[in-house]
Every structure is written in C-alpha cells, then in structure tokens.
Amino acid sequence: MKKTFKRTLRVSKYVIYKETLVDYKEHFWSFLGAFFGIGLIAFLQSHYLLQQENVFLIGSFGASSVLIYGAIQSPLAQPRNLVGGHVISAIVGVTVYQIVPDILWLSAPLAVAFSIILMQYTKTLHPPGGATALIAVTSPGKIADLGYWYVLSPVLSGCIILLLVALFFNNITKNSSYPTSSRWKRLLNKKHKHSLKN
C-alpha cells in the first residue's frame, strides 16, 4: 500500500512538472495565433460592417481560441470540432429561440443541452459551442434578428477565419502540428512539398 502511494505521488509530481514546463517558442506562436485570429475578425467587424450589423465577433470565439491556439493537441480543438461544434450549436440555438423566444429559463438550458447532445452524436464536441447556442437565445436585438443567418455569419465565417489562422501559426514550428489527424497531416505535407518544388 505504501509503495503504491509513493509511486502514485511520484507519477503525479512528474505529470504536474511536465505540464508546467514553459516552452517560450510555443507560447509565442500561441499568442500570435490568437492575436491574429481574433484580431482579423475584430478588424473585419470594425472596418467593413455597418454599426447596426456589428455582431461579427462573438464571445465564444475567445474560448475557441484558447483551444485551437493554446491546446492544439486536444481532440476538442480539431477542425471538425471547431467548425462542426459551432455550426451545430448555432443551428440549435436559433431553432430553440424560434420555438421558445420569450421563456429564457426554458430556452437557455434547452439550447445548451441539445447542442451538447448533437455535438456528441456527430463527434464534433467543442465546449465553446455551448456558448454559441446560448448567445443565440440570450442576445436581444441584432443577433436575434439575424435568425438562421447567425449560423453563416458570424458563426461559420468566424470559424473559418480562426481555422485558417490556426493552420498557419500552429504549423510554423517543427515541434507542433495541427490538426493531429494523420489524414490532415498527409494533405498538408503534400501541399508543402508541392510548394517547395515550384
């Protein structure tokens, strides 16, 4: 019993130590990726949209940035999860709002709960998707007026911008690779080799 406890303690110390190691290069690229991903969406919102259409930057993109720039190996941060999770959750949120628009105590939990179930079912679980669904039912005014356009813009268009920036910044160094799927890696390697030949 004592040996098991000591071994568990030793393993725990190692895992905690390993998790707190600082790789300054990786942190630098995470910072740049998040800065340019969110910055590009914010720039488009502030310069190319009318004041009354200014809903391109939604809060759940901040949470997505933590995953796709800071925890790129996480299964929840992969492209399928990023795009699928947000889009499914946006559809659910808008649908719930259309059915139960004025009963917040019912529409908010329904939107989040259904979005979780559908993300699980489609294998696109992305925690910020729950916030995307919640935004659709709790935001008065502009977002509510968008209806299903909310799914295309800001949600899908914002996800695509975040993903393109993540594909660039997360593959700059040799130590990181995004996405983790071997199919994506093969595709990215083919494009990289093709561009080197030209």
Side-chain angles (χ1 to χ4, degrees):
M1 177 82 168
K2 203 173 193 181
K3 283 184 180 180
T4 306
F5 178 74
K6 284 184 178 180
R7 184 177 179 278
T8 304
L9 186 62
R10 199 171 54 246
V11 169
S12 299
K13 283 181 181 178
Y14 175 75
V15 169
I16 290 169
Y17 170 75
K18 193 93 163 124
E19 286 296 316
T20 57
L21 285 176
V22 176
D23 182 353
Y24 294 105
K25 290 178 185 173
E26 295 302 317
H27 292 255
F28 174 74
W29 292 114
S30 295
F31 172 83
L32 281 182
F35 181 84
F36 280 101
I38 295 295
L40 186 56
I41 294 172
F43 178 80
L44 291 171
Q45 173 173 305
S46 61
H47 284 83
Y48 294 104
L49 296 176
L50 300 172
Q51 195 62 31
Q52 53 273 36
E53 296 171 344
N54 231 353
V55 292
F56 200 56
L57 186 62
I58 56 174
S60 53
F61 289 161
S64 290
S65 295
V66 173
L67 287 169
I68 67 170
Y69 303 119
I72 64 174
Q73 300 302 317
S74 169
L76 305 176
Q78 301 311 302
R80 173 189 175 112
N81 298 70
L82 169 70
V83 177
H86 275 296
V87 168
I88 287 169
S89 298
I91 292 169
V92 168
V94 172
T95 303
V96 168
Y97 184 77
Q98 300 285 334
I99 296 169
V100 192
D102 297 325
I103 310 171
L104 187 62
W105 63 267
L106 182 61
S107 63
L110 276 175
V112 174
F114 273 124
S115 68
I116 291 170
I117 295 299
L118 284 175
M119 285 189 288
Q120 287 175 327
Y121 182 75
T122 58
K123 294 180 174 49
T124 58
L125 193 62
H126 187 65
T132 299
L134 195 58
I135 289 167
V137 296
T138 60
S139 298
K142 298 176 211 170
I143 289 182
D145 294 341
L146 286 173
Y148 285 102
W149 284 107
Y150 171 71
V151 177
L152 298 176
S153 181
V155 175
L156 179 60
S157 54
C159 286
I160 290 171
I161 290 170
L162 292 175
L163 176 60
L164 292 175
V165 173
L167 288 171
F168 178 76
F169 281 102
N170 292 340
N171 291 299
I172 285 180
T173 65
K174 293 178 184 176
N175 298 336
S176 64
S177 172
Y178 178 81
T180 58
S181 166
S182 57
R183 183 178 71 211
W184 277 88
K185 285 180 187 176
R186 284 194 303 268
L187 179 67
L188 289 172
N189 285 337
K190 282 181 186 177
K191 288 191 175 199
H192 181 67
K193 287 177 185 174
H194 184 340
S195 65
L196 289 176
K197 287 179 183 176
N198 291 336

